[in-house]
Amino acid sequence: MRFDLVDLQLFIAVAEARSITGGAERAHLALASASARIKGLEAALGTDLVKRGRRGIELTAAGESLLDHARIILHNVDAMRGDLAAYAGGTKATIRLLTNTSGLSEYLPKTLAAFLGLHPHLSIDVEERESADIAQAIVSGAADLGLAAEHALPDTIERIAFSDDRLVLVAARGDELAKRRQVDFREVTGRDFIGLTTASALHAHIAGHAARLGARLRFRARLNNFHSIGQMVAAGIGIAVMPEVAARRCAKSMRIGLVRIRDPWASRKLVICARSFKALPRPAQQLVEHLRKVAQR
């Protein structure tokens, strides 16, 4: 079988628009040409890819499979273009890494600095996402590599253990809550909170679990780093949820106490993840090996 990249781009556009007309507009093709290309794909594959109706189209099982593969192929083509274009600028390759909040704030800065020091011709683009979004991006082929909470990953994603990533409650030492060893999150949802900005993945994670309890958290302040959050908590302005590693770091210089959260969602394991580690580009494999060594220390 021979596939045209234009056909694959068109098929993705049609699938996302749920309409051949809408897909043709997105792909900047005439409707007749788009329709002929879809029929040509079906003829080449020997099976129907879409079910046509008055209100648009629905993908068949074969169409859903082709959509997954087409997204991966075009992602790889884009990555290839980016890597080859980078040679002209003197940089050999760029690695795109998705990570949750804990990974971005607590583990990656020093780790990636050490890696880049060893590989001066590589660069890394790091993007913060919720672990569930990282899993979806890897499954769909939109991303190669992630650092995410293991519980959010489907069985189809390969993973390598990196670090425990427990979330804890932090309160001022004078707060009665700070005297407790553990607490159910339901008990504190009515308290004032100090948190990260709404754009952070961890904020969305915590707010989502509060919503499942029927609660909407009340934030007295939103800040962009755990050190500032710890200072607010120490001043008695509110309580906070943060990674245990960040909380222990803050507790060394601030009058705050750590309280374990009993809820299962607070006990997480951080893992390096990919669809296939063997299929990663060589630069990404080098980063995985570096992260693996850091995890083993």
Side-chain angles (χ1 to χ4, degrees):
M1 298 178 186
R2 297 183 63 183
F3 295 96
D4 188 317
L5 291 180
V6 175
D7 287 345
L8 296 182
Q9 290 171 330
L10 169 64
F11 186 76
I12 292 172
V14 168
E16 291 177 347
R18 296 292 170 178
S19 161
I20 294 178
T21 300
E25 291 176 354
R26 292 188 184 189
H28 306 291
L29 293 172
L31 176 58
S33 176
S35 182
R37 283 180 175 272
I38 296 297
K39 289 179 180 178
L41 273 175
E42 291 177 321
L45 294 169
T47 186
D48 290 338
L49 298 173
V50 299
K51 295 178 182 178
R52 297 163 176 81
R54 290 185 177 180
R55 297 184 178 181
I57 61 96
E58 291 184 8
L59 298 185
T60 63
E64 293 284 0
S65 180
L66 177 60
L67 178 61
D68 288 341
H69 287 292
R71 282 172 170 162
I72 292 169
I73 289 169
L74 291 179
H75 169 70
N76 288 339
V77 169
D78 287 341
M80 178 186 70
R81 286 172 176 162
D83 286 350
L84 293 178
Y87 277 98
T91 302
K92 289 185 178 179
T94 298
I95 305 165
R96 186 181 179 216
L97 174 64
L98 303 184
T99 178
N100 69 358
T101 304
S102 295
L104 181 63
S105 66
E106 300 304 316
Y107 301 105
L108 289 180
K110 289 184 179 179
T111 300
L112 295 185
F115 175 78
L116 292 172
L118 295 171
H119 301 276
H121 298 298
L122 298 181
S123 59
I124 303 174
D125 285 340
V126 183
E127 182 178 346
E128 181 187 355
R129 297 270 195 95
E130 277 196 82
S131 293
D133 291 339
I134 294 172
Q136 184 178 2
I138 289 176
V139 167
S140 68
D144 291 323
L145 192 61
L147 192 62
E150 185 174 28
H151 69 81
L153 306 181
D155 293 339
T156 53
I157 291 181
E158 296 183 0
R159 75 283 311 269
I160 298 170
F162 184 77
S163 174
D164 288 337
D165 187 34
R166 178 185 296 280
L167 296 176
V168 298
L169 199 70
V170 180
R173 285 187 190 172
D175 193 312
E176 286 295 318
L177 187 61
K179 299 176 183 178
R180 297 182 58 176
R181 294 185 59 186
Q182 54 187 357
V183 66
D184 291 324
F185 193 57
R186 183 186 299 275
E187 299 177 57
V188 299
T189 54
R191 294 282 302 266
D192 287 337
F193 276 78
I194 309 298
L196 291 169
T197 59
T198 56
S200 75
L202 183 58
H203 170 81
H205 180 69
I206 296 167
H209 285 290
R212 292 182 183 91
L213 295 173
R216 181 182 178 85
L217 300 184
R218 183 172 62 250
F219 287 91
R220 292 291 309 281
R222 301 181 195 275
L223 303 150
N224 63 5
N225 63 79
F226 293 123
H227 183 81
S228 298
I229 290 173
Q231 289 179 319
M232 282 276 191
V233 171
I237 306 302
I239 62 175
V241 176
M242 64 173 70
E244 185 173 16
V245 62
R248 292 197 179 280
R249 172 170 47 79
C250 291
K252 292 178 180 179
S253 60
M254 304 174 194
R255 294 183 58 80
I256 58 175
L258 281 62
V259 185
R260 181 175 180 177
I261 301 172
R262 290 195 190 98
D263 303 57
W265 56 263
S267 298
R268 313 186 299 179
K269 290 188 179 297
L270 202 60
V271 297
I272 310 158
C273 53
R275 283 175 63 99
S276 169
F277 289 115
K278 289 184 178 179
L280 288 174
R282 176 59 182 161
Q285 289 183 359
Q286 291 175 309
L287 177 56
V288 169
E289 186 58 29
H290 181 79
L291 293 173
R292 188 202 299 267
K293 289 178 181 178
V294 170
Q296 292 173 347
R297 293 175 186 170

